[in-house]
């Protein structure tokens, strides 16, 4: 199975900060990488698909980059409503695996 | 687009449940579907996929042989038959559209306990 490793596991940042979350795959997954946001008590919501494509309706402060094994989710100008856990997921090879999550807190 | 799961509940180890996912707001038969679960306080785990016609199905090893995914395109519904339940199957079960999960339901809780 492809292992997805996110870092950091958690972070605390202030409103307006730029936040970066990284995701590393144990082998190349091309650009078959999605990013999800899960707010407390809610279902996950896709933010980014195919590594860098912004899902319709998602604020433009969210962006994704990378290919192969190393990927990044960036939140420009963190907002209070961005309090959530963020997950990366590869859909290159079965089983489709998720990272362990990055919990983002607001200072 | 709306996905609404149902059928969860409290069940004893070794028991069975049938989860349903009712789809609306889109042409259900045109989309593949997946099930994903989340154990209490844990991350997300993909468990099953079914293509538009139901002719292609995949499972995670952790549920293979115990879980069965199916769909009824005439009823705009997705199903997950879960048998031989174990304590570690306790989780919120989500259905989602497409293998990359562009829309998700709110989830249904399955609790396995004696």
């Amino acid at each position: 199975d492809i292992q997805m490793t996110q870092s950091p596991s958690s972070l605390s940042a202030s409103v307006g900060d730029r936040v970066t979350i990284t995701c590393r795959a144990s082998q190349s997954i091309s650009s078959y990488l999605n990013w999800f946001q899960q707010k407390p008590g809610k279902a996950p919501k896709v933010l980014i698909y195919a590594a860098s494509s912004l899902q319709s309706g998602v604020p433009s402060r969210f962006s994704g980059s990378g290919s192969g094994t190393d990927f990044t989710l960036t939140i420009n100008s963190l907002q209070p409503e961005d309090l959530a856990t963020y997950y990366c997921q590869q859909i290159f090879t079965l089983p489709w695996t998720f990272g362990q999550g990055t919990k983002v807190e607001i200072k | 687009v709306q996905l609404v799961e149902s059928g969860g509940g409290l069940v004893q180890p070794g028991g069975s449940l049938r989860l349903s996912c009712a789809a609306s707001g889109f042409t259900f038969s045109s989309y593949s579907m997946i099930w994903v679960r989340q154990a209490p306080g844990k991350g997300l785990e993909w468990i099953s996929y079914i293509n538009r016609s139901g002719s292609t199905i995949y499972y995670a090893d952790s549920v293979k042989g115990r879980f069965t995914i199916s769909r009824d395109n005439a009823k705009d519904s997705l199903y997950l038959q879960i048998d031989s339940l174990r304590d570690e199957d306790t989780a919120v079960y989500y259905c989602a559209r497409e293998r990359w999960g562009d829309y998700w339901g709110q989830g249904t809780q399955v609790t396995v306990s004696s």
Side-chain angles (χ1 to χ4, degrees):
Chain A
D1 298 1
I2 296 177
Q3 306 301 316
M4 306 299 291
T5 304
Q6 291 181 229
S7 61
S9 295
S10 64
L11 65 90
S12 182
S14 300
V15 172
D17 283 355
R18 182 180 188 185
V19 169
T20 299
I21 299 169
T22 64
C23 177
R24 175 164 288 177
S26 59
Q27 63 188 76
S28 178
I29 58 170
S30 184
S31 295
Y32 290 86
L33 189 283
N34 305 319
W35 287 100
F36 293 89
Q37 175 193 62
Q38 186 177 32
K39 295 185 177 181
K42 301 294 187 183
K45 166 188 168 183
V46 67
L47 301 174
I48 303 287
Y49 63 95
S52 59
S53 296
L54 190 69
Q55 171 71 349
S56 176
V58 173
S60 59
R61 65 179 179 274
F62 292 94
S63 63
S65 64
S67 66
T69 61
D70 294 308
F71 302 85
T72 300
L73 173 70
T74 300
I75 309 173
N76 282 302
S77 190
L78 188 70
Q79 299 300 303
E81 60 266 30
D82 299 334
L83 167 72
T85 300
Y86 294 83
Y87 295 92
C88 62
Q89 182 210 22
Q90 66 83 18
I91 56 169
F92 180 72
T93 300
L94 289 167
W96 301 323
T97 44
F98 290 88
Q100 81 280 12
T102 296
K103 187 173 184 178
V104 173
E105 298 177 328
I106 311 296
K107 280 183 187 175
Chain B
V1 173
Q2 190 170 17
L3 298 168
V4 179
E5 301 94 335
S6 61
L10 174 62
V11 61
Q12 293 187 337
S16 298
L17 280 174
R18 189 193 196 204
L19 307 184
S20 298
C21 171
S24 60
F26 65 102
T27 304
F28 180 70
S29 59
S30 296
Y31 291 87
S32 61
M33 299 292 294
I34 62 173
W35 286 98
V36 174
R37 69 182 179 182
Q38 186 169 35
K42 302 296 184 181
L44 301 168
E45 178 188 17
W46 168 81
I47 56 175
S48 191
Y49 162 92
I50 188 167
N51 72 343
R52 291 175 293 178
S53 66
S55 61
T56 299
I57 286 172
Y58 304 125
Y59 297 101
D61 285 347
S62 58
V63 306
K64 198 174 295 183
R66 301 187 300 120
F67 289 18
T68 304
I69 191 172
S70 62
R71 64 189 298 159
D72 186 336
N73 287 341
K75 294 184 178 180
D76 292 343
S77 292
L78 175 73
Y79 306 102
L80 187 68
Q81 177 68 38
I82 49 180
D83 298 321
S84 303
L85 278 158
R86 306 168 179 169
D87 290 349
E88 57 265 33
D89 295 320
T90 293
V92 175
Y93 286 72
Y94 296 101
C95 64
R97 193 179 80 167
E98 292 285 22
R99 65 174 178 151
W100 54 280
D102 61 349
Y103 288 95
W104 293 58
Q106 84 290 347
T108 187
Q109 175 71 49
V110 172
T111 302
V112 184
S113 175
S114 55

